[in-house]
Amino acid sequence: MTFEGLDGSGKTTQVEMLRSHLEEAGRDVVATREPGGTELGERVRDLLLQGGEVSPWAEAALFAAARAELVSKVIAPALERGADVVCDRYLDSSLAYQGIARGLGVDQVLALNLSAIRGILPDLTFLLTLEADEAALRGEASDRIEREGGEFQRAVETAYRELAAIFPARLVALDGSRPPEEIAKEVRDRIQDLS
Ligand code: TYD
């Protein structure tokens, strides 16, 4: 399962709530956060988020490199031993931010990522929808991409809605403005059909 949405949309809270729920049910759970989660991924994270401007394709390729490492070292081994994997961002972040908001093209960024992730797609992706202006009110912009400002964040918000229309079977849009417990219940109901 993956969680997607703008910074401030509540992804991290939902990942933690789902992780606890699954662990309480006795399941082996691995939770990841992108970019990062491996030694290489953390170094790429610094390059991407704390450095200066990065050209769009270099940005897409670096996110894909960090993701390839995460799949190879963490996600694929976890799935092989039968664990549940819950991800705070995955390939849809690249499709929304780089593919649509930066204008590189969904198909092009998808092709790059499908190779990087060896075709390992989520069974379900929860998109926490929230207006960009509301998301911005929930926290300080802490990295280079968040600091790009309202117009870019609004483009990402629209991009996620487009993705939900492109991948209706995999992407479930949930209203992120509701209380966390209400959203978590809907998530639990949805994943019941998977197991
Ligand atoms: P973010 O979720 O803010 O990380 P954290 O909550 O751990 O600080 O992700 C960092 C930023 O990177 C965020 O603004 C979205 C952006 N991003 C992309 O542009 N493309 C991607 O593929 C990913 C994973 C993130």
Side-chain angles (χ1 to χ4, degrees), residues 66-132:
R67 186 166 299 128
E69 188 75 358
L70 186 67
V71 167
S72 171
K73 299 260 169 73
V74 180
I75 296 178
L79 292 174
E80 272 155 30
R81 67 165 200 264
D84 294 330
V85 179
V86 183
C87 303
D88 187 343
R89 295 194 183 281
Y90 193 58
L91 92 153
D92 295 296
S93 285
S94 287
L95 300 183
Y97 285 77
Q98 283 69 47
I100 300 176
R102 292 259 193 255
L104 298 181
V106 173
D107 290 347
Q108 287 82 343
V109 175
L110 180 62
L112 169 71
N113 274 273
L114 283 178
S115 304
I117 65 175
R118 302 195 255 150
I120 300 180
L121 287 168
D123 290 322
L124 264 186
T125 296
F126 296 103
L127 167 61
L128 301 177
T129 61
L130 196 65
E131 282 186 18

Short mmCIF file of all heavy atoms in Angstrom, two decimals, residues 66-132:
data_model
loop_
_atom_site.label_atom_id
_atom_site.label_comp_id
_atom_site.label_asym_id
_atom_site.label_seq_id
_atom_site.Cartn_x
_atom_site.Cartn_y
_atom_site.Cartn_z
N ALA A 66 16.95 6.77 -5.97
CA ALA A 66 16.69 6.51 -4.55
C ALA A 66 15.62 5.42 -4.40
O ALA A 66 15.73 4.54 -3.55
CB ALA A 66 16.24 7.80 -3.85
N ARG A 67 14.62 5.47 -5.26
CA ARG A 67 13.53 4.48 -5.20
C ARG A 67 14.03 3.10 -5.62
O ARG A 67 13.64 2.09 -5.02
CB ARG A 67 12.40 4.97 -6.13
CG ARG A 67 11.14 4.14 -6.08
CD ARG A 67 9.98 4.87 -6.76
NE ARG A 67 9.70 6.12 -6.09
CZ ARG A 67 9.62 7.31 -6.69
NH1 ARG A 67 9.78 7.42 -8.00
NH2 ARG A 67 9.37 8.40 -6.00
N ALA A 68 14.89 3.04 -6.63
CA ALA A 68 15.44 1.74 -7.08
C ALA A 68 16.19 1.07 -5.93
O ALA A 68 16.07 -0.14 -5.70
CB ALA A 68 16.38 1.97 -8.27
N GLU A 69 16.95 1.87 -5.21
CA GLU A 69 17.72 1.33 -4.07
C GLU A 69 16.77 0.84 -2.97
O GLU A 69 16.99 -0.21 -2.37
CB GLU A 69 18.64 2.45 -3.55
CG GLU A 69 19.62 2.02 -2.51
CD GLU A 69 20.81 1.22 -3.05
OE1 GLU A 69 20.87 0.96 -4.27
OE2 GLU A 69 21.66 0.86 -2.23
N LEU A 70 15.72 1.61 -2.71
CA LEU A 70 14.75 1.24 -1.68
C LEU A 70 14.03 -0.07 -2.05
O LEU A 70 13.83 -0.94 -1.21
CB LEU A 70 13.73 2.38 -1.50
CG LEU A 70 12.73 2.24 -0.37
CD1 LEU A 70 13.43 2.32 0.99
CD2 LEU A 70 11.67 3.34 -0.45
N VAL A 71 13.67 -0.20 -3.32
CA VAL A 71 13.00 -1.42 -3.77
C VAL A 71 13.95 -2.61 -3.61
O VAL A 71 13.59 -3.65 -3.06
CB VAL A 71 12.52 -1.28 -5.24
CG1 VAL A 71 12.11 -2.63 -5.81
CG2 VAL A 71 11.34 -0.31 -5.30
N SER A 72 15.18 -2.41 -4.08
CA SER A 72 16.13 -3.51 -4.08
C SER A 72 16.52 -3.96 -2.66
O SER A 72 16.59 -5.14 -2.38
CB SER A 72 17.34 -3.04 -4.88
OG SER A 72 18.36 -3.94 -4.76
N LYS A 73 16.75 -2.97 -1.78
CA LYS A 73 17.27 -3.32 -0.44
C LYS A 73 16.17 -3.56 0.60
O LYS A 73 16.39 -4.27 1.57
CB LYS A 73 18.17 -2.18 0.07
CG LYS A 73 19.38 -1.91 -0.79
CD LYS A 73 20.62 -2.56 -0.19
CE LYS A 73 21.82 -2.57 -1.10
NZ LYS A 73 22.45 -1.27 -1.29
N VAL A 74 15.02 -2.92 0.43
CA VAL A 74 14.01 -2.99 1.50
C VAL A 74 12.68 -3.59 1.01
O VAL A 74 12.19 -4.57 1.59
CB VAL A 74 13.75 -1.56 2.08
CG1 VAL A 74 12.70 -1.61 3.19
CG2 VAL A 74 15.05 -0.95 2.60
N ILE A 75 12.10 -3.02 -0.04
CA ILE A 75 10.73 -3.41 -0.41
C ILE A 75 10.65 -4.83 -0.98
O ILE A 75 9.85 -5.65 -0.51
CB ILE A 75 10.11 -2.37 -1.38
CG1 ILE A 75 9.98 -1.02 -0.66
CG2 ILE A 75 8.76 -2.85 -1.89
CD1 ILE A 75 9.43 0.12 -1.51
N ALA A 76 11.50 -5.14 -1.96
CA ALA A 76 11.43 -6.48 -2.57
C ALA A 76 11.72 -7.58 -1.54
O ALA A 76 10.95 -8.55 -1.45
CB ALA A 76 12.35 -6.57 -3.78
N PRO A 77 12.79 -7.45 -0.71
CA PRO A 77 13.01 -8.50 0.29
C PRO A 77 11.84 -8.64 1.27
O PRO A 77 11.47 -9.75 1.66
CB PRO A 77 14.27 -8.02 1.04
CG PRO A 77 14.95 -7.08 0.10
CD PRO A 77 13.87 -6.46 -0.73
N ALA A 78 11.22 -7.51 1.65
CA ALA A 78 10.08 -7.58 2.58
C ALA A 78 8.91 -8.32 1.93
O ALA A 78 8.30 -9.20 2.54
CB ALA A 78 9.65 -6.17 2.98
N LEU A 79 8.62 -8.00 0.68
CA LEU A 79 7.51 -8.67 -0.01
C LEU A 79 7.81 -10.16 -0.18
O LEU A 79 6.93 -11.01 -0.02
CB LEU A 79 7.26 -8.03 -1.38
CG LEU A 79 6.72 -6.59 -1.35
CD1 LEU A 79 6.66 -6.01 -2.77
CD2 LEU A 79 5.32 -6.53 -0.71
N GLU A 80 9.09 -10.47 -0.46
CA GLU A 80 9.46 -11.88 -0.66
C GLU A 80 9.24 -12.71 0.61
O GLU A 80 8.88 -13.87 0.53
CB GLU A 80 10.93 -11.99 -1.10
CG GLU A 80 11.06 -11.91 -2.62
CD GLU A 80 12.41 -11.42 -3.08
OE1 GLU A 80 13.42 -11.67 -2.37
OE2 GLU A 80 12.47 -10.75 -4.14
N ARG A 81 9.44 -12.09 1.79
CA ARG A 81 9.22 -12.89 3.00
C ARG A 81 7.76 -12.79 3.48
O ARG A 81 7.41 -13.30 4.53
CB ARG A 81 10.20 -12.51 4.10
CG ARG A 81 10.04 -11.13 4.69
CD ARG A 81 10.82 -11.00 6.01
NE ARG A 81 10.29 -9.90 6.76
CZ ARG A 81 10.80 -8.67 6.75
NH1 ARG A 81 11.88 -8.40 6.03
NH2 ARG A 81 10.24 -7.72 7.47
N GLY A 82 6.93 -12.13 2.68
CA GLY A 82 5.49 -12.11 2.98
C GLY A 82 5.03 -10.95 3.85
O GLY A 82 3.91 -10.96 4.35
N ALA A 83 5.90 -9.96 4.06
CA ALA A 83 5.51 -8.82 4.89
C ALA A 83 4.56 -7.89 4.13
O ALA A 83 4.50 -7.90 2.91
CB ALA A 83 6.75 -8.04 5.32
N ASP A 84 3.83 -7.08 4.91
CA ASP A 84 3.02 -6.01 4.32
C ASP A 84 3.93 -4.78 4.22
O ASP A 84 4.62 -4.46 5.19
CB ASP A 84 1.85 -5.64 5.22
CG ASP A 84 0.84 -6.78 5.36
OD1 ASP A 84 0.72 -7.56 4.40
OD2 ASP A 84 0.19 -6.86 6.41
N VAL A 85 3.92 -4.11 3.10
CA VAL A 85 4.76 -2.92 2.95
C VAL A 85 3.85 -1.69 2.81
O VAL A 85 2.94 -1.67 1.98
CB VAL A 85 5.69 -3.05 1.73
CG1 VAL A 85 6.55 -1.80 1.57
CG2 VAL A 85 6.58 -4.28 1.86
N VAL A 86 4.11 -0.70 3.67
CA VAL A 86 3.31 0.54 3.67
C VAL A 86 4.27 1.69 3.38
O VAL A 86 5.21 1.92 4.13
CB VAL A 86 2.63 0.75 5.04
CG1 VAL A 86 1.74 1.99 5.00
CG2 VAL A 86 1.81 -0.47 5.43
N CYS A 87 4.03 2.39 2.29
CA CYS A 87 4.98 3.42 1.85
C CYS A 87 4.41 4.83 1.95
O CYS A 87 3.30 5.10 1.48
CB CYS A 87 5.38 3.21 0.39
SG CYS A 87 6.08 1.61 0.05
N ASP A 88 5.21 5.72 2.55
CA ASP A 88 4.92 7.16 2.59
C ASP A 88 5.58 7.73 1.34
O ASP A 88 6.78 7.96 1.33
CB ASP A 88 5.55 7.71 3.88
CG ASP A 88 5.20 9.15 4.15
OD1 ASP A 88 4.75 9.84 3.23
OD2 ASP A 88 5.41 9.59 5.30
N ARG A 89 4.83 7.88 0.27
CA ARG A 89 5.25 8.25 -1.08
C ARG A 89 5.90 7.07 -1.80
O ARG A 89 6.62 6.27 -1.22
CB ARG A 89 6.26 9.42 -1.10
CG ARG A 89 5.68 10.74 -0.59
CD ARG A 89 6.62 11.89 -0.98
NE ARG A 89 6.18 13.17 -0.49
CZ ARG A 89 5.23 13.91 -1.04
NH1 ARG A 89 4.63 13.49 -2.14
NH2 ARG A 89 4.88 15.07 -0.53
N TYR A 90 5.64 7.01 -3.13
CA TYR A 90 6.25 6.00 -4.00
C TYR A 90 6.17 6.58 -5.41
O TYR A 90 6.22 7.81 -5.55
CB TYR A 90 5.50 4.66 -3.83
CG TYR A 90 6.19 3.45 -4.42
CD1 TYR A 90 7.47 3.08 -4.03
CD2 TYR A 90 5.53 2.64 -5.35
CE1 TYR A 90 8.09 1.93 -4.56
CE2 TYR A 90 6.13 1.50 -5.89
CZ TYR A 90 7.40 1.16 -5.48
OH TYR A 90 7.99 0.03 -6.01
N LEU A 91 6.03 5.74 -6.43
CA LEU A 91 6.20 6.29 -7.78
C LEU A 91 5.19 7.38 -8.16
O LEU A 91 5.52 8.25 -8.96
CB LEU A 91 6.20 5.17 -8.83
CG LEU A 91 4.90 4.76 -9.50
CD1 LEU A 91 5.18 4.19 -10.87
CD2 LEU A 91 4.19 3.76 -8.63
N ASP A 92 3.98 7.37 -7.56
CA ASP A 92 3.02 8.41 -7.94
C ASP A 92 3.51 9.81 -7.57
O ASP A 92 3.10 10.78 -8.20
CB ASP A 92 1.66 8.14 -7.29
CG ASP A 92 1.05 6.85 -7.83
OD1 ASP A 92 0.75 6.81 -9.04
OD2 ASP A 92 0.93 5.89 -7.06
N SER A 93 4.40 9.91 -6.56
CA SER A 93 4.97 11.24 -6.26
C SER A 93 5.75 11.74 -7.46
O SER A 93 5.65 12.90 -7.84
CB SER A 93 5.91 11.17 -5.05
OG SER A 93 5.18 11.07 -3.85
N SER A 94 6.53 10.85 -8.09
CA SER A 94 7.29 11.28 -9.27
C SER A 94 6.37 11.58 -10.44
O SER A 94 6.62 12.51 -11.21
CB SER A 94 8.30 10.19 -9.67
OG SER A 94 9.37 10.17 -8.76
N LEU A 95 5.29 10.79 -10.58
CA LEU A 95 4.36 11.06 -11.69
C LEU A 95 3.70 12.43 -11.49
O LEU A 95 3.54 13.20 -12.44
CB LEU A 95 3.29 9.96 -11.78
CG LEU A 95 3.81 8.54 -12.01
CD1 LEU A 95 2.64 7.56 -12.15
CD2 LEU A 95 4.70 8.47 -13.26
N ALA A 96 3.33 12.75 -10.23
CA ALA A 96 2.64 14.02 -9.96
C ALA A 96 3.62 15.20 -10.03
O ALA A 96 3.38 16.17 -10.76
CB ALA A 96 1.96 13.97 -8.60
N TYR A 97 4.72 15.12 -9.27
CA TYR A 97 5.63 16.27 -9.16
C TYR A 97 6.46 16.45 -10.44
O TYR A 97 6.54 17.55 -10.98
CB TYR A 97 6.58 16.11 -7.96
CG TYR A 97 5.94 16.37 -6.61
CD1 TYR A 97 5.11 15.41 -6.03
CD2 TYR A 97 6.17 17.54 -5.92
CE1 TYR A 97 4.53 15.63 -4.78
CE2 TYR A 97 5.59 17.77 -4.66
CZ TYR A 97 4.78 16.81 -4.10
OH TYR A 97 4.20 17.03 -2.88
N GLN A 98 7.12 15.35 -10.89
CA GLN A 98 8.00 15.50 -12.05
C GLN A 98 7.23 15.32 -13.37
O GLN A 98 7.41 16.09 -14.31
CB GLN A 98 9.17 14.49 -11.96
CG GLN A 98 10.27 14.88 -10.98
CD GLN A 98 9.87 14.83 -9.52
OE1 GLN A 98 9.27 13.85 -9.07
NE2 GLN A 98 10.17 15.89 -8.77
N GLY A 99 6.36 14.31 -13.42
CA GLY A 99 5.66 14.01 -14.67
C GLY A 99 4.69 15.10 -15.07
O GLY A 99 4.69 15.55 -16.22
N ILE A 100 3.85 15.54 -14.12
CA ILE A 100 2.82 16.51 -14.47
C ILE A 100 3.23 17.93 -14.07
O ILE A 100 3.31 18.82 -14.92
CB ILE A 100 1.45 16.13 -13.86
CG1 ILE A 100 1.02 14.74 -14.37
CG2 ILE A 100 0.39 17.18 -14.21
CD1 ILE A 100 -0.26 14.19 -13.77
N ALA A 101 3.52 18.16 -12.77
CA ALA A 101 3.77 19.55 -12.34
C ALA A 101 5.03 20.14 -13.01
O ALA A 101 5.04 21.31 -13.38
CB ALA A 101 3.89 19.60 -10.83
N ARG A 102 6.07 19.32 -13.20
CA ARG A 102 7.27 19.83 -13.91
C ARG A 102 7.14 19.68 -15.42
O ARG A 102 8.03 20.13 -16.15
CB ARG A 102 8.51 19.06 -13.48
CG ARG A 102 8.94 19.27 -12.07
CD ARG A 102 10.11 20.25 -11.99
NE ARG A 102 10.69 20.20 -10.68
CZ ARG A 102 10.52 21.14 -9.74
NH1 ARG A 102 9.78 22.20 -10.00
NH2 ARG A 102 11.09 21.03 -8.57
N GLY A 103 6.13 18.94 -15.87
CA GLY A 103 5.87 18.84 -17.31
C GLY A 103 6.72 17.84 -18.07
O GLY A 103 6.82 17.91 -19.30
N LEU A 104 7.31 16.85 -17.38
CA LEU A 104 8.15 15.88 -18.10
C LEU A 104 7.33 14.82 -18.82
O LEU A 104 7.83 14.13 -19.71
CB LEU A 104 9.12 15.19 -17.13
CG LEU A 104 10.14 16.09 -16.43
CD1 LEU A 104 11.04 15.26 -15.51
CD2 LEU A 104 10.99 16.85 -17.44
N GLY A 105 6.07 14.68 -18.43
CA GLY A 105 5.19 13.69 -19.08
C GLY A 105 4.99 12.47 -18.18
O GLY A 105 5.98 11.89 -17.70
N VAL A 106 3.74 12.08 -17.97
CA VAL A 106 3.44 10.93 -17.12
C VAL A 106 4.04 9.66 -17.73
O VAL A 106 4.68 8.86 -17.02
CB VAL A 106 1.91 10.76 -16.94
CG1 VAL A 106 1.58 9.45 -16.20
CG2 VAL A 106 1.33 11.92 -16.17
N ASP A 107 3.87 9.46 -19.03
CA ASP A 107 4.34 8.22 -19.66
C ASP A 107 5.85 8.09 -19.55
O ASP A 107 6.38 7.02 -19.27
CB ASP A 107 3.94 8.18 -21.14
CG ASP A 107 2.44 7.99 -21.29
OD1 ASP A 107 1.78 7.65 -20.29
OD2 ASP A 107 1.93 8.19 -22.41
N GLN A 108 6.55 9.22 -19.76
CA GLN A 108 8.02 9.18 -19.72
C GLN A 108 8.52 8.88 -18.31
O GLN A 108 9.44 8.07 -18.12
CB GLN A 108 8.60 10.51 -20.20
CG GLN A 108 8.48 10.75 -21.70
CD GLN A 108 7.10 11.29 -22.12
OE1 GLN A 108 6.12 11.22 -21.37
NE2 GLN A 108 7.02 11.83 -23.32
N VAL A 109 7.94 9.56 -17.31
CA VAL A 109 8.40 9.35 -15.93
C VAL A 109 7.97 7.96 -15.44
O VAL A 109 8.70 7.30 -14.71
CB VAL A 109 7.88 10.49 -15.01
CG1 VAL A 109 8.24 10.22 -13.55
CG2 VAL A 109 8.47 11.83 -15.45
N LEU A 110 6.82 7.49 -15.93
CA LEU A 110 6.38 6.14 -15.57
C LEU A 110 7.36 5.10 -16.14
O LEU A 110 7.75 4.16 -15.44
CB LEU A 110 4.96 5.89 -16.12
CG LEU A 110 4.34 4.52 -15.82
CD1 LEU A 110 4.20 4.29 -14.32
CD2 LEU A 110 2.97 4.40 -16.48
N ALA A 111 7.78 5.30 -17.38
CA ALA A 111 8.71 4.34 -18.01
C ALA A 111 10.02 4.26 -17.22
O ALA A 111 10.53 3.17 -16.93
CB ALA A 111 8.96 4.74 -19.46
N LEU A 112 10.54 5.43 -16.87
CA LEU A 112 11.79 5.47 -16.08
C LEU A 112 11.60 4.71 -14.77
O LEU A 112 12.44 3.90 -14.36
CB LEU A 112 12.16 6.94 -15.80
CG LEU A 112 13.26 7.22 -14.79
CD1 LEU A 112 14.62 6.83 -15.36
CD2 LEU A 112 13.27 8.70 -14.40
N ASN A 113 10.48 4.96 -14.10
CA ASN A 113 10.25 4.37 -12.79
C ASN A 113 9.93 2.88 -12.85
O ASN A 113 10.32 2.13 -11.96
CB ASN A 113 9.16 5.13 -12.04
CG ASN A 113 9.75 6.32 -11.32
OD1 ASN A 113 10.20 6.18 -10.18
ND2 ASN A 113 9.81 7.46 -11.99
N LEU A 114 9.22 2.45 -13.89
CA LEU A 114 8.89 1.02 -13.97
C LEU A 114 10.15 0.17 -14.05
O LEU A 114 10.21 -0.91 -13.48
CB LEU A 114 7.97 0.74 -15.15
CG LEU A 114 6.51 1.12 -14.93
CD1 LEU A 114 5.68 0.83 -16.19
CD2 LEU A 114 5.89 0.39 -13.73
N SER A 115 11.17 0.69 -14.73
CA SER A 115 12.45 -0.03 -14.75
C SER A 115 13.08 0.00 -13.37
O SER A 115 13.55 -1.02 -12.86
CB SER A 115 13.42 0.60 -15.76
OG SER A 115 12.83 0.65 -17.03
N ALA A 116 13.08 1.19 -12.76
CA ALA A 116 13.75 1.35 -11.46
C ALA A 116 13.12 0.46 -10.39
O ALA A 116 13.81 -0.07 -9.53
CB ALA A 116 13.69 2.81 -11.03
N ILE A 117 11.79 0.31 -10.43
CA ILE A 117 11.11 -0.45 -9.36
C ILE A 117 10.85 -1.89 -9.77
O ILE A 117 10.13 -2.61 -9.08
CB ILE A 117 9.79 0.23 -8.92
CG1 ILE A 117 8.76 0.23 -10.05
CG2 ILE A 117 10.05 1.63 -8.39
CD1 ILE A 117 7.39 0.78 -9.67
N ARG A 118 11.43 -2.30 -10.89
CA ARG A 118 11.30 -3.69 -11.38
C ARG A 118 9.83 -4.11 -11.48
O ARG A 118 9.47 -5.24 -11.18
CB ARG A 118 12.06 -4.65 -10.47
CG ARG A 118 13.53 -4.28 -10.36
CD ARG A 118 14.30 -5.44 -9.77
NE ARG A 118 14.67 -5.21 -8.41
CZ ARG A 118 14.81 -6.17 -7.49
NH1 ARG A 118 14.59 -7.41 -7.79
NH2 ARG A 118 15.20 -5.87 -6.28
N GLY A 119 8.99 -3.14 -11.84
CA GLY A 119 7.57 -3.47 -12.05
C GLY A 119 6.77 -3.70 -10.78
O GLY A 119 5.62 -4.13 -10.84
N ILE A 120 7.38 -3.42 -9.60
CA ILE A 120 6.63 -3.64 -8.35
C ILE A 120 5.70 -2.45 -8.09
O ILE A 120 6.14 -1.40 -7.62
CB ILE A 120 7.59 -3.87 -7.16
CG1 ILE A 120 8.46 -5.11 -7.42
CG2 ILE A 120 6.80 -4.02 -5.85
CD1 ILE A 120 9.45 -5.43 -6.32
N LEU A 121 4.44 -2.66 -8.44
CA LEU A 121 3.44 -1.60 -8.26
C LEU A 121 2.64 -1.86 -6.99
O LEU A 121 2.49 -3.02 -6.57
CB LEU A 121 2.49 -1.57 -9.46
CG LEU A 121 3.08 -1.01 -10.75
CD1 LEU A 121 2.17 -1.30 -11.93
CD2 LEU A 121 3.32 0.49 -10.62
N PRO A 122 2.11 -0.80 -6.37
CA PRO A 122 1.29 -1.02 -5.17
C PRO A 122 -0.02 -1.73 -5.52
O PRO A 122 -0.54 -1.58 -6.63
CB PRO A 122 0.97 0.41 -4.70
CG PRO A 122 1.79 1.34 -5.53
CD PRO A 122 2.23 0.61 -6.75
N ASP A 123 -0.54 -2.50 -4.55
CA ASP A 123 -1.88 -3.07 -4.73
C ASP A 123 -2.91 -1.96 -4.63
O ASP A 123 -3.89 -1.94 -5.35
CB ASP A 123 -2.17 -4.12 -3.65
CG ASP A 123 -1.31 -5.36 -3.84
OD1 ASP A 123 -1.11 -5.75 -5.01
OD2 ASP A 123 -0.83 -5.92 -2.84
N LEU A 124 -2.67 -1.03 -3.70
CA LEU A 124 -3.59 0.09 -3.49
C LEU A 124 -2.79 1.34 -3.15
O LEU A 124 -1.80 1.26 -2.42
CB LEU A 124 -4.50 -0.17 -2.30
CG LEU A 124 -5.89 -0.74 -2.51
CD1 LEU A 124 -6.61 -0.76 -1.17
CD2 LEU A 124 -6.70 0.06 -3.53
N THR A 125 -3.24 2.46 -3.65
CA THR A 125 -2.61 3.75 -3.33
C THR A 125 -3.68 4.68 -2.79
O THR A 125 -4.70 4.90 -3.45
CB THR A 125 -1.98 4.34 -4.60
OG1 THR A 125 -0.94 3.46 -5.04
CG2 THR A 125 -1.40 5.73 -4.36
N PHE A 126 -3.45 5.19 -1.58
CA PHE A 126 -4.40 6.13 -0.98
C PHE A 126 -3.90 7.55 -1.23
O PHE A 126 -2.79 7.90 -0.82
CB PHE A 126 -4.53 5.88 0.52
CG PHE A 126 -5.13 4.54 0.82
CD1 PHE A 126 -4.34 3.48 1.25
CD2 PHE A 126 -6.49 4.31 0.64
CE1 PHE A 126 -4.89 2.23 1.50
CE2 PHE A 126 -7.05 3.06 0.88
CZ PHE A 126 -6.25 2.02 1.32
N LEU A 127 -4.72 8.31 -1.91
CA LEU A 127 -4.38 9.70 -2.19
C LEU A 127 -5.16 10.58 -1.22
O LEU A 127 -6.40 10.58 -1.24
CB LEU A 127 -4.75 10.03 -3.64
CG LEU A 127 -4.76 11.50 -4.01
CD1 LEU A 127 -3.37 12.10 -3.82
CD2 LEU A 127 -5.22 11.68 -5.47
N LEU A 128 -4.43 11.26 -0.33
CA LEU A 128 -5.09 12.15 0.64
C LEU A 128 -5.24 13.52 -0.01
O LEU A 128 -4.26 14.23 -0.23
CB LEU A 128 -4.26 12.22 1.92
CG LEU A 128 -4.05 10.86 2.60
CD1 LEU A 128 -3.17 10.99 3.82
CD2 LEU A 128 -5.38 10.23 2.99
N THR A 129 -6.47 13.86 -0.36
CA THR A 129 -6.69 15.11 -1.07
C THR A 129 -6.87 16.26 -0.08
O THR A 129 -7.51 16.11 0.96
CB THR A 129 -7.93 15.03 -1.98
OG1 THR A 129 -9.07 14.78 -1.17
CG2 THR A 129 -7.80 13.94 -3.02
N LEU A 130 -6.26 17.37 -0.43
CA LEU A 130 -6.35 18.57 0.41
C LEU A 130 -5.98 19.74 -0.48
O LEU A 130 -5.06 19.62 -1.30
CB LEU A 130 -5.33 18.45 1.55
CG LEU A 130 -5.50 19.39 2.74
CD1 LEU A 130 -6.81 19.09 3.47
CD2 LEU A 130 -4.34 19.23 3.71
N GLU A 131 -6.69 20.85 -0.34
CA GLU A 131 -6.33 22.01 -1.16
C GLU A 131 -4.95 22.49 -0.76
O GLU A 131 -4.59 22.46 0.43
CB GLU A 131 -7.35 23.12 -0.96
CG GLU A 131 -8.60 22.82 -1.75
CD GLU A 131 -9.59 23.95 -1.71
OE1 GLU A 131 -9.17 25.08 -1.37
OE2 GLU A 131 -10.75 23.70 -2.02
N ALA A 132 -4.19 22.92 -1.78
CA ALA A 132 -2.79 23.32 -1.54
C ALA A 132 -2.70 24.41 -0.48
O ALA A 132 -1.79 24.38 0.37
CB ALA A 132 -2.17 23.78 -2.86
#
